[in-house]
Amino acid sequence: SDRKKLHTAPVGQVFRLRPFHILVATGGGYAGYRKYEDYKLEQLEKRGIEVPVRLASEWEVALYKSVPTRLLSRAWGRLNQVELPTWLRKPVYSLYIWTFGVNMKEAAVEDLHHYRNLSEFFRRKLKPQARPVCGVHSVISPSDGKILNFGQVKNCEVEQVKGVTYSLESFLGPRISTEEMHFSQAPRGNSFQQQLVTKEGNELYHCVIYLAPGDYHCFHSPTDWTVSHRRHFPGSLMSVNPGVARWIKELFCHNERVVLTGDWKHGFFSLTAVGATNVGSIRIYFDQDLHTNSPSYSKGSYNDFSFISNNNKEGIPMRKGEHLGEFNLGSTIVLIFEAPKDFKFNLKAGQKIRFGEALGSL
């Protein structure tokens, strides 16, 4: 009788917890397997071998989503805020620098003991001369990173990487009221893409920039424009590295993101900061009401905020190169904007780029 009691209670507790453990272990193991597959793909690309596209099935996406990435990202964010003892800072940061190839000679403060925690180290500022802003071209890179894709938007679809697309409307959400925009002409056409193009003879363009963990984590204004609206999509926090972007269709539509929309001299302009695993925190400097990776998460929802009010009829003016926001670790920035048909990108897919360098011009 006593022996039965001794064994029955623990077995009951394990049985109640087993489904969660199995889910996390299976999802985590599969995520690890995908990381290994991504590594093999990167090695093939370095050797110049073209990798065929293989999209994930619905069950694979569901399994990946079973990993509690939002919870893990919040835990990682809290860990980043923990102040490290002075003697531990240099070993910890040196390991990170070695792992991700960080160039500390560009940092405004090179002394590793200066950074009290990992969060401060991730958000380190650069020396003013480290990133000169191109004054010739009209659109510059808002961040350091790798160019995943760029070009004209076609058929209301945008390429996240070559051969893998996502819906323009799903990514940006329903069109914003024209009362919040400064466009002088009414939108033309019936499709969502045509509604965003406000001037005759213009086209819609896009550019996707992936920020690796070792990159500079702040992002800046890519041109002179006015931000009139912010839309926040709570969502998943799956990895956005190129291997996963090649594997999961509409990855950027699944993940949490902050869409800033407004206008520049040629019409519609938008910048979207896409969250990722361990990047639950997206900060926009002029938007104190924005709170990302909140525990209250409603799938498929979004919330809007207008920067146009009775006291501010214009919105938030941004100058090219001006500080705009920051990530915690790396992530992705997507630019979608309107420009004349003769707009040309000065880029190659897969190239590394730094903040301030030219993306394109007329």
Side-chain angles (χ1 to χ4, degrees), residues 241-285:
N241 74 53
V244 177
R246 185 185 293 108
W247 179 56
I248 297 180
K249 183 178 174 63
E250 299 207 332
L251 171 64
F252 298 157
C253 297
H254 289 295
N255 272 15
E256 181 156 15
R257 59 198 182 278
V258 177
V259 182
L260 300 178
T261 53
D263 64 289
W264 70 319
K265 60 183 178 181
H266 299 297
F268 174 81
F269 199 97
S270 73
L271 179 148
T272 301
V274 183
T277 308
N278 293 338
V279 196
S281 173
I282 301 171
R283 183 183 173 195
I284 304 298
Y285 294 138

Side-chain angles (χ1 to χ4, degrees), residues 99-111:
T99 303
F100 296 109
V102 178
N103 183 3
M104 283 303 293
K105 291 183 178 180
E106 297 177 333
V109 180
E110 296 183 40
D111 182 12

Side-chain angles (χ1 to χ4, degrees), residues 124-145:
R124 64 192 176 276
K125 304 300 181 184
L126 299 182
K127 294 173 182 175
Q129 66 274 20
R131 296 288 187 276
V133 175
C134 176
V136 177
H137 293 78
S138 55
V139 184
I140 62 168
S141 176
S143 67
D144 289 7

Side-chain angles (χ1 to χ4, degrees), residues 32 73 134 155 185 198 227 233 256 266:
S73 296
C134 176
N155 302 318
Q185 298 184 29
T198 63
V227 184
F233 291 84
E256 181 156 15
H266 299 297

Side-chain angles (χ1 to χ4, degrees), residues 26-88:
T26 306
Y30 192 73
Y33 166 73
R34 286 305 314 169
K35 287 287 187 182
Y36 173 67
E37 290 294 307
D38 295 341
Y39 171 77
K40 292 198 299 184
L41 289 176
E42 288 178 6
Q43 297 306 308
L44 291 174
E45 286 182 341
K46 287 180 180 179
R47 291 161 55 188
I49 301 174
E50 188 172 348
V51 181
V53 173
R54 188 191 77 80
L55 293 177
S57 62
E58 289 186 10
W59 73 264
E60 287 178 310
V61 176
L63 186 58
Y64 190 6
K65 281 187 171 183
S66 71
V67 181
T69 52
R70 293 179 62 83
L71 179 62
L72 292 173
S73 296
R74 284 196 294 273
W76 177 253
R78 292 182 180 179
L79 179 63
N80 287 348
Q81 299 294 332
V82 175
E83 185 169 343
L84 297 176
T86 305
W87 62 269
L88 190 58

